[in-house]
Amino acid sequence: MKINKRHLLNYSIFLPYLALSILGLIIIYSTTSASLVQKGANPFSSVLNQTIFWFLSLIAIAFIYRLKLDFLKKTSIVSLAIWIEIGMLLYSRFFTETVNGAHGWIAITVGERSLFTFQPAEYLKILIIWYLALTFSKRQEEVGIYDYQALTRGTLFPRKFQDWRFYSALMVFLVAFQPDLGNATIIILTAIIMFSVSGIGFRWFSGLLSLIVAGSTLLLGFISVVGVNTVAKVPVFGYVAKRFSAFFNPFEDVQGAGHQLANSYYAMSNGGWFGRGLGNSIEKRGYLPESQTDFVFSIVIEELGYIGGALILALVFFLILRILLVGIKAKNPFNSMMALGVGGMILVQVFVNIGGISGLIPSTGVTFPFLSLGGNSLLVLSVAIAFVLNIDANEKREAIYRELGDTLSR
């Protein structure tokens, strides 16, 4: 008896994904059309570009959903993907032009015409989950006996190039060296989540979380004491100095370092509980830079109000919860860690973005999942969703086979 996977699609994940993707297209049109009209460009150009990536995402979901999971568990395939990723990160750092003070975008051109650009750092988010899930799932018996030492081999630093810590640290360093500290932060936190769900004792997760909170507090305190201008002299870190300056007091330099965060506050204040109405934002008309990417949720609140923003967040958290539930229920260690990693990655990205626009943490230039303009981000999120849908269908099918086997043996 063969069970077709199309009958096992998890609609509690797929339908929220569709709803958020379509809502994202509406919000992207709302946040970009006015500025495009001012420039004399087609007001639909940004949303059309995002729509193309969405269709590509749906094709990717259909393809990945049909894949056999054994394909994803081949070390040779993951190793090839890692080396390709390292090569793209190196190329994007040393052979591409800067955008907003950073490298990281590779343009695919035909003649003098650029077809599209992609950002290798975005794809590392899902690659690091895949790589660590495969690596840790192969050591489950050792983890059960030796706890975290089964993953670290009892050493603080890697002693071999094959060590997962070496490859992970190398790729994170290349992302930070772009410099792209926003994506580097998400990748680091995602890797910590993967380490925490690998089967090690819960006390290590709480210990890591405490270290992150303490380290972040000390770093911000240090920057506050020595001054942002002093820290800005550190190589690579200089481009984010303004973000830290805005974090401490955005209204001290409203026309300079604090411009974005201050106008983010204005946008949310303008929205109130019920918003000004879709398309009626004031701040998106040149007052709030990056209103279609990093600060898109500020515009969402201005147009739809805190209630509208809360409903969108509720839908996002529902999607994350359903993804995490797949990981919790999964019997296979690889499947479990993949799903938990994807849910954790999306949760971290939401926290970093909302924390940045609200002043809870320094802004890092991270986009909001599904709603921000960015085809690469949407494609990566869609691939991650596809992995979870495939895993969930396979887990359901295996459960049915086990139940049938038990029934026949009675």
Side-chain angles (χ1 to χ4, degrees):
M1 177 182 177
K2 185 177 180 180
I3 301 173
N4 198 310
K5 286 170 66 175
R6 71 170 180 268
H7 301 303
L8 302 174
L9 181 64
N10 191 329
Y11 288 99
S12 67
I13 292 176
F14 187 62
L15 291 181
Y17 161 78
L18 287 179
L20 286 168
S21 299
I22 295 171
L23 183 61
L25 295 177
I26 296 171
I27 290 173
I28 286 168
Y29 175 73
S30 175
T31 55
T32 59
S33 57
S35 60
L36 289 172
V37 168
Q38 289 176 352
K39 297 175 183 177
N42 181 357
F44 294 96
S45 59
S46 293
V47 72
L48 286 174
N49 182 70
Q50 189 81 353
T51 302
I52 291 172
F53 270 95
W54 185 48
F55 283 133
L56 291 176
S57 298
L58 292 176
I59 294 171
I61 289 176
F63 175 75
I64 293 173
Y65 186 69
R66 295 174 62 88
L67 278 179
K68 293 183 178 180
L69 283 179
D70 290 341
F71 176 81
L72 300 177
K73 298 177 183 178
K74 293 182 179 180
T75 304
S76 58
I77 300 296
V78 180
S79 299
L80 177 62
I82 287 174
W83 284 111
I84 291 174
E85 177 70 22
I86 291 174
M88 290 193 301
L89 287 172
L90 288 170
Y91 179 84
S92 64
R93 176 59 183 85
F94 294 105
F95 301 100
T96 61
E97 297 179 356
T98 59
V99 178
N100 295 329
H103 297 268
W105 287 264
I106 299 177
I108 304 299
T109 59
V110 176
E112 296 183 356
R113 182 181 179 185
S114 177
L115 294 181
F116 66 93
T117 60
F118 68 96
Q119 191 177 9
E122 283 286 344
Y123 297 90
L124 182 54
K125 294 176 184 177
I126 188 64
L127 178 57
I128 199 74
I129 295 171
W130 181 14
Y131 171 55
L132 294 181
L134 182 59
T135 302
F136 295 162
S137 64
K138 292 181 177 180
R139 302 181 185 177
Q140 287 303 287
E141 291 186 7
E142 298 176 68
V143 170
I145 300 173
Y146 301 108
D147 202 6
Y148 79 97
Q149 293 186 10
L151 305 178
T152 62
R153 303 303 185 191
T155 62
L156 182 60
F157 299 103
R159 294 180 178 178
K160 298 180 180 179
F161 290 137
Q162 294 84 357
D163 194 299
W164 62 271
R165 290 172 293 175
F166 172 78
Y167 285 115
S168 301
L170 174 62
M171 291 186 288
V172 169
F173 171 78
L174 291 176
V175 172
F177 192 54
Q178 300 291 334
D180 185 355
L181 296 187
N183 277 322
T185 300
I186 291 178
I187 294 165
I188 291 171
L189 293 176
T190 301
I192 291 174
I193 289 173
M194 296 302 296
F195 183 75
S196 302
V197 302
S198 62
I200 63 173
F202 179 76
R203 64 187 182 281
W204 298 112
F205 169 74
S206 17
L208 284 171
L209 184 62
S210 300
L211 283 175
I212 292 172
V213 173
S216 301
T217 303
L218 289 174
L219 175 62
L220 292 174
F222 172 76
I223 295 173
S224 177
V225 171
V226 303
V228 174
N229 293 330
T230 302
V231 179
K233 298 177 183 178
V234 178
V236 178
F237 192 81
Y239 97 106
V240 295
K242 290 184 178 180
R243 299 182 187 272
F244 281 89
S245 177
F247 169 73
F248 291 120
N249 187 355
F251 297 100
E252 185 177 4
D253 185 12
V254 177
Q255 299 303 318
H259 183 70
Q260 283 186 309
L261 189 55
N263 280 279
S264 174
Y265 290 158
Y266 293 149
M268 290 186 283
S269 176
N270 290 339
W273 286 107
F274 301 101
R276 297 177 56 85
L278 189 64
N280 294 327
S281 165
I282 297 173
E283 291 297 323
K284 72 182 180 184
R285 302 177 187 276
Y287 298 101
L288 178 58
E290 310 302 333
S291 60
Q292 74 280 14
T293 52
D294 307 0
F295 289 85
V296 70
F297 206 77
S298 300
I299 304 301
V300 168
I301 294 176
E302 185 180 14
E303 295 188 346
L304 303 180
Y306 286 107
I307 292 178
L311 291 174
I312 293 174
L313 278 178
L315 183 58
V316 173
F317 287 138
F318 175 78
L319 174 63
I320 293 171
L321 181 62
R322 297 302 303 181
I323 292 172
L324 294 176
L325 199 59
V326 171
I328 292 170
K329 289 183 176 181
K331 302 296 182 183
N332 183 282
F334 172 79
N335 295 348
S336 178
M337 281 183 265
M338 277 290 293
L340 291 173
V342 169
M345 181 263 289
I346 299 175
L347 181 63
V348 165
Q349 189 165 338
V350 171
F351 170 76
V352 172
N353 179 269
I354 296 297
I357 69 170
S358 62
L360 180 63
I361 61 174
S363 175
T364 55
V366 171
T367 57
F368 190 92
F370 302 107
L371 303 189
S372 293
L373 175 65
N376 289 280
S377 176
L378 178 61
L379 184 57
V380 168
L381 289 167
S382 301
V383 168
I385 295 293
F387 279 143
V388 176
L389 290 173
N390 192 341
I391 286 168
D392 183 65
N394 275 274
E395 287 286 334
K396 288 177 180 176
R397 186 163 57 180
E398 291 299 320
I400 293 172
Y401 286 147
R402 285 194 299 269
E403 187 175 341
L404 287 174
D406 293 340
T407 302
L408 293 174
S409 63
R410 290 173 185 171

